[in-house]
Amino acid sequence: MNTIIMLFLISLLILVHELGHFFAARMFGVRVSKFGFGLPIGPTLFKTKWGNTEVLIHAFLLGGYVSFPDDDEKEEEAKKALKDKLGEAKAKDSENEEEKLPMDSPERFRNKKPWQKAVIVSAGVFMNVVFAIILTMFAAAWYHKLPTGTSDVFIKEIVSKDNTSNIVNADIKPGDKIKSINGIDVTSTYKFIFVVQKSKYFDGFVSGETVTEKLAALKRLNPDVDFENIIPAGTSLKLPKSDPEKPLRVSENVASGYEKYETPEIALTKEETALRDEIENKTIYALKADAEPENIAKALSDTYKPITIVLDRNGREIVLNNIHTDKQGILGIKLETKEIFTATNTPKEIVTNSISYLWRSTKLMGFGLWQLVTGKIPMSEMHGIVVITKVGSDIIETYGMLNGLLLTAIISIDLAIINLLPIPALDGGHLMFLALEKLLGKELDEKITEGIGRFFFLLLIILMVYVIFNDIFALVTHKF
């Protein structure tokens, strides 16, 4: 049921977008020949006539469009040209040939002023923004609260059953609030778990600085061993004590998942990992095979990154130093979160907090889009309607309809941002062409703009297929 609700909400966003184009066109007296829900790929499920406008519902529901007589005539000309090439009769294809508008008709989009065209083209984006604001304000008024995007994180239970994680020996109790981890404010479980996982015992990564220190320690403890060459098998080495590595230090954006984590450390090879496991907890070790001195130093360097956790216990601050996980990256605690909300009881609170919520969400989406464009977030992390529907359904199931409505509002803003990108075949691309016409003082060559539009439309379809594949793969592999 929740999946159906989410599909309905997403479909509503597409409908709102296209209605924006439709009503703006009619406001300026432009005839709309077709109003399509879905893309004209595959069969048409439903068709009817509303005045001069043909309303269609296509089987490929991922999208929508509004077309004008100019667009339809270009399509007819292309079809006729194709039939001529195939040697078919040159009969006229248009059933309404007698109803064709004169080329100078004020009902044609092409005959409108540039600013009127710009309004019509950008009306879909405008409607998505307006709809997002209205939907957020409705949710705020109905539920009397809005999420701040942050949560308080508490210790629910200590479940560690062994001493491979030293959390059991720390001053920690159920109900303690986690304030920070390694200097990063804990406003979500994601931040906490991220730092813990990246600080894992035996994570297979070491810093060059630590390797240099371990190699120097080996030389001091074994003055009779030639560390300038390969050390032969059977050589007995005194090993330096096992020390923790340097603590993990990452930015707030990385810890929040807004930027891709890229470690500057060196990855251990399979041989170095095996050697690391062999020499664990040993003070003297006889080499079983020839080894490079640096390889031994790397094996000795991989221990754990110490974690510092700051707790709040009834207003009293408690600092836990040198905490480490087990070899699976587990501390042995269960967490509990309490989402932080802001009240929306008065008209002023509803308006100001709704705008604040959407502005904060828009900044995050813009930042995420920039990370994607610059390659800091891989294309494999790009997802579309399949994952959105699944995630939205889960959100409604887990957190209720408030979060489902707010997710829909955010998606509406996301549609507006994406459509404003200066890419031909999107609204932003049409606005770009209109801006070029204004700058040049003349209309652009239709054949060139149409060719560019078709090319980018094909690219968008390919991208859509890729995103759907990503979605399906993510669901099959239980990523979502």
Side-chain angles (χ1 to χ4, degrees), residues 422-474:
I423 300 172
L426 295 178
D427 294 340
H430 293 300
L431 289 172
M432 179 181 66
F433 286 143
L434 288 172
L436 286 173
E437 286 181 1
K438 185 68 176 177
L439 288 172
L440 297 173
K442 64 177 182 179
E443 289 189 2
L444 301 175
D445 188 301
E446 282 191 13
K447 289 185 178 179
I448 294 175
T449 56
E450 286 172 22
I452 294 172
R454 287 195 191 98
F455 173 75
F456 277 92
F457 180 76
L458 179 62
L459 287 183
L460 286 175
I461 294 298
I462 294 172
L463 179 62
M464 191 180 295
V465 172
Y466 172 78
V467 168
I468 291 173
F469 173 81
N470 263 0
D471 287 356
I472 294 170
F473 182 77

Short mmCIF file of all heavy atoms in Angstrom, two decimals, residues 422-474:
data_model
loop_
_atom_site.label_atom_id
_atom_site.label_comp_id
_atom_site.label_asym_id
_atom_site.label_seq_id
_atom_site.Cartn_x
_atom_site.Cartn_y
_atom_site.Cartn_z
N PRO A 422 21.28 23.48 -17.74
CA PRO A 422 21.34 23.91 -19.15
C PRO A 422 21.69 22.77 -20.11
O PRO A 422 22.70 22.81 -20.82
CB PRO A 422 22.42 24.99 -19.13
CG PRO A 422 23.33 24.59 -18.01
CD PRO A 422 22.43 23.98 -16.96
N ILE A 423 20.85 21.74 -20.09
CA ILE A 423 21.06 20.57 -20.95
C ILE A 423 19.93 20.51 -21.97
O ILE A 423 18.76 20.51 -21.58
CB ILE A 423 21.07 19.27 -20.12
CG1 ILE A 423 22.21 19.31 -19.09
CG2 ILE A 423 21.20 18.05 -21.01
CD1 ILE A 423 22.18 18.16 -18.11
N PRO A 424 20.24 20.52 -23.26
CA PRO A 424 19.19 20.40 -24.28
C PRO A 424 18.31 19.18 -24.00
O PRO A 424 18.80 18.15 -23.56
CB PRO A 424 19.98 20.23 -25.58
CG PRO A 424 21.27 20.92 -25.32
CD PRO A 424 21.58 20.66 -23.87
N ALA A 425 17.02 19.32 -24.24
CA ALA A 425 15.99 18.32 -23.96
C ALA A 425 15.40 18.51 -22.57
O ALA A 425 14.37 17.93 -22.25
CB ALA A 425 16.49 16.89 -24.11
N LEU A 426 16.05 19.34 -21.73
CA LEU A 426 15.46 19.73 -20.46
C LEU A 426 15.00 21.19 -20.55
O LEU A 426 15.40 21.92 -21.46
CB LEU A 426 16.47 19.58 -19.32
CG LEU A 426 16.95 18.17 -18.98
CD1 LEU A 426 17.98 18.22 -17.86
CD2 LEU A 426 15.79 17.27 -18.59
N ASP A 427 14.21 21.63 -19.58
CA ASP A 427 13.72 23.00 -19.60
C ASP A 427 14.88 23.99 -19.59
O ASP A 427 14.83 25.03 -20.25
CB ASP A 427 12.82 23.26 -18.39
CG ASP A 427 11.54 22.44 -18.45
OD1 ASP A 427 11.18 21.99 -19.57
OD2 ASP A 427 10.90 22.23 -17.41
N GLY A 428 15.92 23.68 -18.82
CA GLY A 428 17.09 24.56 -18.77
C GLY A 428 17.77 24.70 -20.12
O GLY A 428 18.31 25.76 -20.45
N GLY A 429 17.75 23.62 -20.91
CA GLY A 429 18.33 23.68 -22.26
C GLY A 429 17.54 24.62 -23.16
O GLY A 429 18.12 25.40 -23.93
N HIS A 430 16.20 24.57 -23.08
CA HIS A 430 15.36 25.48 -23.86
C HIS A 430 15.60 26.92 -23.45
O HIS A 430 15.65 27.83 -24.29
CB HIS A 430 13.88 25.12 -23.68
CG HIS A 430 13.51 23.79 -24.26
ND1 HIS A 430 13.66 23.49 -25.60
CD2 HIS A 430 12.99 22.67 -23.68
CE1 HIS A 430 13.26 22.25 -25.83
NE2 HIS A 430 12.85 21.73 -24.67
N LEU A 431 15.74 27.15 -22.15
CA LEU A 431 16.02 28.51 -21.67
C LEU A 431 17.38 28.98 -22.17
O LEU A 431 17.55 30.17 -22.50
CB LEU A 431 15.99 28.54 -20.14
CG LEU A 431 14.61 28.40 -19.48
CD1 LEU A 431 14.76 28.25 -17.97
CD2 LEU A 431 13.73 29.60 -19.82
N MET A 432 18.34 28.08 -22.24
CA MET A 432 19.67 28.42 -22.76
C MET A 432 19.58 28.86 -24.22
O MET A 432 20.19 29.86 -24.62
CB MET A 432 20.60 27.21 -22.63
CG MET A 432 22.01 27.44 -23.15
SD MET A 432 23.04 25.95 -22.98
CE MET A 432 22.20 24.82 -24.11
N PHE A 433 18.79 28.12 -25.04
CA PHE A 433 18.62 28.50 -26.44
C PHE A 433 17.91 29.85 -26.57
O PHE A 433 18.28 30.67 -27.42
CB PHE A 433 17.81 27.43 -27.18
CG PHE A 433 18.58 26.17 -27.47
CD1 PHE A 433 17.96 24.92 -27.40
CD2 PHE A 433 19.92 26.21 -27.81
CE1 PHE A 433 18.67 23.75 -27.67
CE2 PHE A 433 20.63 25.05 -28.08
CZ PHE A 433 20.02 23.81 -28.00
N LEU A 434 16.93 30.10 -25.71
CA LEU A 434 16.22 31.39 -25.73
C LEU A 434 17.17 32.53 -25.35
O LEU A 434 17.11 33.62 -25.93
CB LEU A 434 15.04 31.36 -24.76
CG LEU A 434 13.84 30.50 -25.18
CD1 LEU A 434 12.83 30.42 -24.04
CD2 LEU A 434 13.17 31.08 -26.44
N ALA A 435 18.06 32.27 -24.39
CA ALA A 435 19.04 33.29 -23.99
C ALA A 435 20.01 33.58 -25.13
O ALA A 435 20.38 34.74 -25.37
CB ALA A 435 19.80 32.82 -22.74
N LEU A 436 20.42 32.53 -25.85
CA LEU A 436 21.32 32.71 -27.00
C LEU A 436 20.63 33.52 -28.10
O LEU A 436 21.25 34.39 -28.72
CB LEU A 436 21.76 31.35 -27.55
CG LEU A 436 22.78 30.58 -26.71
CD1 LEU A 436 23.01 29.18 -27.27
CD2 LEU A 436 24.11 31.34 -26.67
N GLU A 437 19.34 33.24 -28.34
CA GLU A 437 18.58 34.01 -29.34
C GLU A 437 18.53 35.49 -28.95
O GLU A 437 18.67 36.37 -29.81
CB GLU A 437 17.16 33.45 -29.45
CG GLU A 437 17.08 32.12 -30.19
CD GLU A 437 15.64 31.62 -30.31
OE1 GLU A 437 14.73 32.34 -29.84
OE2 GLU A 437 15.45 30.52 -30.86
N LYS A 438 18.33 35.74 -27.66
CA LYS A 438 18.27 37.13 -27.19
C LYS A 438 19.61 37.82 -27.38
O LYS A 438 19.68 38.98 -27.81
CB LYS A 438 17.88 37.14 -25.71
CG LYS A 438 17.66 38.51 -25.11
CD LYS A 438 16.44 39.19 -25.68
CE LYS A 438 16.18 40.53 -24.99
NZ LYS A 438 15.03 41.24 -25.59
N LEU A 439 20.71 37.11 -27.08
CA LEU A 439 22.04 37.69 -27.20
C LEU A 439 22.41 37.94 -28.66
O LEU A 439 23.01 38.97 -29.00
CB LEU A 439 23.08 36.76 -26.56
CG LEU A 439 23.08 36.69 -25.03
CD1 LEU A 439 24.02 35.59 -24.55
CD2 LEU A 439 23.52 38.04 -24.44
N LEU A 440 22.03 36.98 -29.54
CA LEU A 440 22.38 37.10 -30.96
C LEU A 440 21.41 38.00 -31.72
O LEU A 440 21.72 38.46 -32.83
CB LEU A 440 22.40 35.71 -31.60
CG LEU A 440 23.46 34.73 -31.05
CD1 LEU A 440 23.26 33.35 -31.66
CD2 LEU A 440 24.86 35.24 -31.34
N GLY A 441 20.24 38.21 -31.13
CA GLY A 441 19.25 39.07 -31.79
C GLY A 441 18.55 38.40 -32.95
O GLY A 441 17.93 39.07 -33.79
N LYS A 442 18.60 37.08 -33.02
CA LYS A 442 17.91 36.34 -34.08
C LYS A 442 17.64 34.92 -33.63
O LYS A 442 18.25 34.43 -32.67
CB LYS A 442 18.75 36.33 -35.36
CG LYS A 442 20.08 35.61 -35.21
CD LYS A 442 20.84 35.56 -36.53
CE LYS A 442 22.15 34.78 -36.37
NZ LYS A 442 22.89 34.70 -37.65
N GLU A 443 16.70 34.25 -34.33
CA GLU A 443 16.39 32.87 -33.99
C GLU A 443 17.51 31.94 -34.42
O GLU A 443 18.15 32.16 -35.46
CB GLU A 443 15.08 32.44 -34.67
CG GLU A 443 13.83 33.09 -34.08
CD GLU A 443 12.56 32.47 -34.63
OE1 GLU A 443 12.67 31.52 -35.43
OE2 GLU A 443 11.47 32.93 -34.25
N LEU A 444 17.73 30.91 -33.62
CA LEU A 444 18.75 29.93 -33.96
C LEU A 444 18.23 29.00 -35.06
O LEU A 444 17.03 28.83 -35.23
CB LEU A 444 19.12 29.09 -32.73
CG LEU A 444 19.66 29.87 -31.52
CD1 LEU A 444 19.87 28.92 -30.34
CD2 LEU A 444 20.98 30.55 -31.87
N ASP A 445 19.15 28.42 -35.80
CA ASP A 445 18.77 27.50 -36.87
C ASP A 445 18.03 26.30 -36.27
O ASP A 445 18.55 25.58 -35.41
CB ASP A 445 20.04 27.02 -37.59
CG ASP A 445 19.72 26.22 -38.84
OD1 ASP A 445 19.04 25.18 -38.71
OD2 ASP A 445 20.14 26.62 -39.94
N GLU A 446 16.78 26.09 -36.73
CA GLU A 446 15.94 25.03 -36.16
C GLU A 446 16.54 23.65 -36.33
O GLU A 446 16.47 22.81 -35.44
CB GLU A 446 14.55 25.06 -36.80
CG GLU A 446 13.66 26.16 -36.25
CD GLU A 446 12.23 26.00 -36.69
OE1 GLU A 446 11.89 24.92 -37.22
OE2 GLU A 446 11.45 26.94 -36.52
N LYS A 447 17.14 23.40 -37.48
CA LYS A 447 17.71 22.08 -37.73
C LYS A 447 18.83 21.77 -36.74
O LYS A 447 18.97 20.63 -36.27
CB LYS A 447 18.22 21.98 -39.16
CG LYS A 447 17.11 21.94 -40.21
CD LYS A 447 17.67 21.72 -41.59
CE LYS A 447 16.54 21.62 -42.63
NZ LYS A 447 17.08 21.43 -44.00
N ILE A 448 19.63 22.80 -36.44
CA ILE A 448 20.74 22.60 -35.50
C ILE A 448 20.22 22.35 -34.10
O ILE A 448 20.63 21.39 -33.41
CB ILE A 448 21.69 23.83 -35.51
CG1 ILE A 448 22.38 23.95 -36.87
CG2 ILE A 448 22.72 23.70 -34.39
CD1 ILE A 448 23.24 25.18 -37.02
N THR A 449 19.27 23.20 -33.65
CA THR A 449 18.74 23.04 -32.29
C THR A 449 17.98 21.72 -32.13
O THR A 449 18.07 21.06 -31.09
CB THR A 449 17.81 24.21 -31.92
OG1 THR A 449 16.77 24.32 -32.89
CG2 THR A 449 18.60 25.52 -31.88
N GLU A 450 17.25 21.32 -33.18
CA GLU A 450 16.51 20.06 -33.13
C GLU A 450 17.47 18.87 -33.08
O GLU A 450 17.25 17.90 -32.35
CB GLU A 450 15.60 19.92 -34.34
CG GLU A 450 14.36 20.80 -34.27
CD GLU A 450 13.58 20.78 -35.58
OE1 GLU A 450 13.74 19.80 -36.35
OE2 GLU A 450 12.84 21.73 -35.83
N GLY A 451 18.55 18.96 -33.87
CA GLY A 451 19.54 17.88 -33.87
C GLY A 451 20.21 17.73 -32.51
O GLY A 451 20.37 16.61 -32.00
N ILE A 452 20.55 18.88 -31.90
CA ILE A 452 21.16 18.86 -30.58
C ILE A 452 20.17 18.30 -29.56
O ILE A 452 20.51 17.48 -28.70
CB ILE A 452 21.62 20.28 -30.16
CG1 ILE A 452 22.75 20.75 -31.07
CG2 ILE A 452 22.06 20.30 -28.70
CD1 ILE A 452 23.14 22.20 -30.87
N GLY A 453 18.90 18.73 -29.67
CA GLY A 453 17.87 18.26 -28.75
C GLY A 453 17.66 16.76 -28.83
O GLY A 453 17.55 16.09 -27.80
N ARG A 454 17.60 16.23 -30.07
CA ARG A 454 17.41 14.79 -30.24
C ARG A 454 18.58 14.00 -29.65
O ARG A 454 18.40 12.95 -29.03
CB ARG A 454 17.25 14.44 -31.72
CG ARG A 454 15.91 14.86 -32.31
CD ARG A 454 15.66 14.18 -33.64
NE ARG A 454 14.54 14.77 -34.33
CZ ARG A 454 14.61 15.68 -35.28
NH1 ARG A 454 15.81 16.11 -35.68
NH2 ARG A 454 13.54 16.17 -35.85
N PHE A 455 19.79 14.52 -29.88
CA PHE A 455 20.99 13.84 -29.38
C PHE A 455 20.97 13.76 -27.86
O PHE A 455 21.20 12.69 -27.27
CB PHE A 455 22.24 14.58 -29.85
CG PHE A 455 23.52 14.05 -29.26
CD1 PHE A 455 24.06 12.84 -29.70
CD2 PHE A 455 24.19 14.75 -28.26
CE1 PHE A 455 25.24 12.34 -29.14
CE2 PHE A 455 25.36 14.26 -27.70
CZ PHE A 455 25.88 13.06 -28.15
N PHE A 456 20.67 14.87 -27.21
CA PHE A 456 20.65 14.88 -25.75
C PHE A 456 19.45 14.13 -25.19
O PHE A 456 19.53 13.57 -24.09
CB PHE A 456 20.69 16.32 -25.22
CG PHE A 456 22.08 16.89 -25.16
CD1 PHE A 456 22.59 17.61 -26.22
CD2 PHE A 456 22.87 16.68 -24.05
CE1 PHE A 456 23.88 18.13 -26.18
CE2 PHE A 456 24.16 17.18 -23.99
CZ PHE A 456 24.67 17.92 -25.06
N PHE A 457 18.35 14.10 -25.93
CA PHE A 457 17.20 13.30 -25.50
C PHE A 457 17.59 11.82 -25.47
O PHE A 457 17.24 11.09 -24.54
CB PHE A 457 16.01 13.52 -26.43
CG PHE A 457 14.80 12.72 -26.05
CD1 PHE A 457 14.01 13.09 -24.97
CD2 PHE A 457 14.45 11.58 -26.76
CE1 PHE A 457 12.89 12.35 -24.60
CE2 PHE A 457 13.34 10.83 -26.41
CZ PHE A 457 12.55 11.23 -25.33
N LEU A 458 18.32 11.40 -26.50
CA LEU A 458 18.81 10.01 -26.55
C LEU A 458 19.74 9.73 -25.37
O LEU A 458 19.65 8.67 -24.73
CB LEU A 458 19.53 9.75 -27.87
CG LEU A 458 20.13 8.35 -28.07
CD1 LEU A 458 19.03 7.29 -28.04
CD2 LEU A 458 20.89 8.27 -29.38
N LEU A 459 20.62 10.69 -25.07
CA LEU A 459 21.52 10.53 -23.93
C LEU A 459 20.73 10.41 -22.63
O LEU A 459 21.08 9.62 -21.74
CB LEU A 459 22.49 11.71 -23.84
CG LEU A 459 23.61 11.78 -24.87
CD1 LEU A 459 24.52 12.97 -24.58
CD2 LEU A 459 24.44 10.50 -24.88
N LEU A 460 19.67 11.20 -22.49
CA LEU A 460 18.85 11.15 -21.29
C LEU A 460 18.16 9.79 -21.14
O LEU A 460 18.04 9.26 -20.04
CB LEU A 460 17.81 12.27 -21.30
CG LEU A 460 18.33 13.68 -21.02
CD1 LEU A 460 17.21 14.70 -21.18
CD2 LEU A 460 18.93 13.79 -19.62
N ILE A 461 17.70 9.25 -22.27
CA ILE A 461 17.07 7.92 -22.24
C ILE A 461 18.09 6.86 -21.81
O ILE A 461 17.80 5.98 -20.99
CB ILE A 461 16.48 7.56 -23.62
CG1 ILE A 461 15.32 8.49 -23.97
CG2 ILE A 461 16.01 6.11 -23.64
CD1 ILE A 461 14.14 8.42 -23.02
N ILE A 462 19.31 6.97 -22.35
CA ILE A 462 20.38 6.03 -21.98
C ILE A 462 20.69 6.16 -20.49
O ILE A 462 20.85 5.16 -19.77
CB ILE A 462 21.65 6.28 -22.82
CG1 ILE A 462 21.38 5.94 -24.30
CG2 ILE A 462 22.83 5.47 -22.29
CD1 ILE A 462 22.50 6.34 -25.23
N LEU A 463 20.78 7.42 -20.02
CA LEU A 463 21.04 7.66 -18.60
C LEU A 463 19.91 7.09 -17.74
O LEU A 463 20.15 6.50 -16.69
CB LEU A 463 21.19 9.16 -18.35
CG LEU A 463 21.44 9.58 -16.89
CD1 LEU A 463 22.76 8.99 -16.39
CD2 LEU A 463 21.47 11.11 -16.76
N MET A 464 18.67 7.24 -18.22
CA MET A 464 17.52 6.73 -17.48
C MET A 464 17.59 5.21 -17.35
O MET A 464 17.34 4.65 -16.29
CB MET A 464 16.22 7.15 -18.19
CG MET A 464 14.96 6.90 -17.38
SD MET A 464 13.48 7.40 -18.27
CE MET A 464 13.75 9.16 -18.37
N VAL A 465 17.97 4.55 -18.45
CA VAL A 465 18.11 3.09 -18.43
C VAL A 465 19.22 2.68 -17.46
O VAL A 465 19.07 1.73 -16.68
CB VAL A 465 18.41 2.56 -19.85
CG1 VAL A 465 18.75 1.07 -19.80
CG2 VAL A 465 17.21 2.79 -20.76
N TYR A 466 20.32 3.43 -17.48
CA TYR A 466 21.44 3.16 -16.58
C TYR A 466 21.01 3.31 -15.12
O TYR A 466 21.35 2.47 -14.25
CB TYR A 466 22.60 4.11 -16.88
CG TYR A 466 23.74 4.05 -15.88
CD1 TYR A 466 24.68 3.03 -15.91
CD2 TYR A 466 23.87 5.03 -14.89
CE1 TYR A 466 25.71 2.97 -14.99
CE2 TYR A 466 24.89 4.98 -13.96
CZ TYR A 466 25.81 3.95 -14.02
OH TYR A 466 26.83 3.89 -13.11
N VAL A 467 20.27 4.37 -14.83
CA VAL A 467 19.80 4.62 -13.46
C VAL A 467 18.85 3.53 -13.00
O VAL A 467 18.92 3.07 -11.86
CB VAL A 467 19.13 6.01 -13.37
CG1 VAL A 467 18.39 6.17 -12.04
CG2 VAL A 467 20.16 7.12 -13.52
N ILE A 468 17.95 3.09 -13.89
CA ILE A 468 17.02 2.01 -13.55
C ILE A 468 17.80 0.72 -13.26
O ILE A 468 17.49 -0.01 -12.31
CB ILE A 468 15.99 1.79 -14.67
CG1 ILE A 468 15.04 2.98 -14.75
CG2 ILE A 468 15.19 0.50 -14.44
CD1 ILE A 468 14.10 2.95 -15.94
N PHE A 469 18.83 0.46 -14.06
CA PHE A 469 19.69 -0.71 -13.81
C PHE A 469 20.35 -0.59 -12.45
O PHE A 469 20.41 -1.56 -11.68
CB PHE A 469 20.77 -0.83 -14.90
CG PHE A 469 21.79 -1.89 -14.62
CD1 PHE A 469 21.52 -3.23 -14.89
CD2 PHE A 469 23.03 -1.57 -14.07
CE1 PHE A 469 22.45 -4.22 -14.60
CE2 PHE A 469 23.97 -2.55 -13.79
CZ PHE A 469 23.68 -3.87 -14.06
N ASN A 470 20.88 0.61 -12.13
CA ASN A 470 21.47 0.86 -10.81
C ASN A 470 20.47 0.56 -9.70
O ASN A 470 20.81 -0.05 -8.68
CB ASN A 470 21.90 2.33 -10.69
CG ASN A 470 23.38 2.50 -10.99
OD1 ASN A 470 24.09 1.55 -11.28
ND2 ASN A 470 23.86 3.73 -10.92
N ASP A 471 19.24 1.03 -9.92
CA ASP A 471 18.18 0.84 -8.92
C ASP A 471 17.92 -0.65 -8.67
O ASP A 471 17.86 -1.11 -7.53
CB ASP A 471 16.89 1.51 -9.38
CG ASP A 471 16.95 3.02 -9.28
OD1 ASP A 471 17.97 3.53 -8.79
OD2 ASP A 471 15.98 3.68 -9.69
N ILE A 472 17.74 -1.37 -9.76
CA ILE A 472 17.42 -2.80 -9.66
C ILE A 472 18.57 -3.56 -8.99
O ILE A 472 18.37 -4.40 -8.12
CB ILE A 472 17.09 -3.39 -11.04
CG1 ILE A 472 15.80 -2.76 -11.59
CG2 ILE A 472 16.96 -4.90 -10.98
CD1 ILE A 472 15.51 -3.10 -13.03
N PHE A 473 19.81 -3.24 -9.41
CA PHE A 473 20.98 -3.88 -8.83
C PHE A 473 21.07 -3.59 -7.33
O PHE A 473 21.38 -4.49 -6.53
CB PHE A 473 22.25 -3.40 -9.52
CG PHE A 473 23.51 -4.04 -9.01
CD1 PHE A 473 23.86 -5.33 -9.39
CD2 PHE A 473 24.35 -3.36 -8.14
CE1 PHE A 473 25.01 -5.94 -8.91
CE2 PHE A 473 25.51 -3.95 -7.65
CZ PHE A 473 25.83 -5.24 -8.05
N ALA A 474 20.79 -2.34 -6.95
CA ALA A 474 20.83 -1.95 -5.54
C ALA A 474 19.79 -2.71 -4.72
O ALA A 474 20.06 -3.13 -3.60
CB ALA A 474 20.62 -0.43 -5.40
#
